[in-house]
Amino acid sequence: MKNFFMSSYLWKKRPAYVVAILAMLMALSVIINVVEAFKFADLQFSFTIAVMALIGFAAGPVAGFAVGFFGDLIGFFINSGGYAYYPWVGISTGLFAFVAGLLAMKKSGKTYVAYIKLGVYSLVTFVLCTVLINSLFYYLAFYKGTLGFFDYVIMRVFLKLQFVNSLVNYALVFIGYAVLRVVKPLSFLFE
């Protein structure tokens, strides 16, 4: 149960090491939330999904969620782009890391199982975070009464090409797994 709060790798380390790792992950989260490739109202192209997956693998579900949520919040304060802060975007960002942390709680020695988990991560986070949380908020905030919810989802995800951002990020998650699991200093993510 303790792995629900923090990854088993971090539980084995001294508190100072844990704080240092979480601080580095928070810095990475802030950077990825400050440096957006493209953002316009409800359309965003960034590498947040891929980075949050890495953070979830490293930190675990609850710690990953906290790093993702507060990284989004601090990133907003640094570079708001003139927009208002929307906490549900931070919740969605944290959930990307939370789901990755959940799937990483039980490690498997079989590579194909890891790829199945990455596929589950991609499907679950796309539906939960991209389609439901983010799209529902933007629909309620800006489009309710002018479009039906499913019409808005089709417009946002497909016509406004939000799915391209998701596909690129999920491809990076798969590629990142294949590469990082053989890099000695980072192999702890996949033990």
Side-chain angles (χ1 to χ4, degrees):
M1 187 62 187
K2 66 182 182 181
N3 291 347
F4 182 72
F5 295 100
M6 195 167 42
S7 69
S8 60
Y9 172 78
L10 291 178
W11 277 113
K12 298 174 192 172
K13 300 299 181 185
R14 285 191 243 145
Y17 184 87
V18 172
V19 168
I21 291 292
L22 291 176
M24 288 189 302
L25 293 174
M26 178 64 79
L28 179 62
S29 178
V30 169
I31 289 168
I32 203 67
N33 283 292
V34 167
V35 180
E36 296 289 346
F38 176 77
K39 187 173 185 177
F40 180 74
D42 58 345
L43 181 63
Q44 174 180 320
F45 288 97
S46 70
F47 297 110
T48 303
I49 296 170
V51 171
M52 288 303 118
L54 175 71
I55 288 170
F57 292 144
V62 173
F65 178 87
V67 167
F69 179 83
F70 289 112
D72 179 72
L73 180 64
I74 294 167
F76 170 79
F77 287 132
I78 293 171
N79 182 18
S80 69
Y83 296 103
Y85 180 69
Y86 305 125
W88 31 89
V89 175
I91 291 169
S92 174
T93 301
L95 283 173
F96 281 112
F98 182 83
V99 172
L102 277 180
L103 292 172
M105 283 176 59
K106 179 93 168 115
K107 306 290 187 209
S108 173
K110 308 238 186 272
T111 305
Y112 75 89
V113 173
Y115 284 112
I116 290 171
K117 286 182 177 184
L118 294 177
V120 168
Y121 170 79
S122 301
L123 182 63
V124 167
T125 56
F126 181 77
V127 171
L128 178 65
C129 300
T130 302
V131 173
L132 292 180
I133 294 174
N134 288 337
S135 294
L136 181 60
F137 158 69
Y138 285 117
Y139 170 73
L140 293 174
F142 302 111
Y143 293 95
K144 187 176 181 186
T146 60
L147 285 174
F149 174 68
F150 291 108
D151 295 331
Y152 173 72
V153 168
I154 291 169
M155 179 183 77
R156 178 176 184 261
V157 174
F158 297 106
L159 299 178
K160 289 187 171 187
L161 303 178
Q162 191 65 42
F163 78 95
V164 173
N165 178 61
S166 296
L167 283 175
V168 168
N169 274 276
Y170 294 130
L172 288 173
V173 170
F174 278 85
I175 293 167
Y177 170 77
V179 172
L180 295 178
R181 71 187 184 91
V182 296
V183 175
K184 189 70 174 156
L186 296 175
S187 62
F188 75 89
L189 295 170
F190 311 103
E191 290 176 345

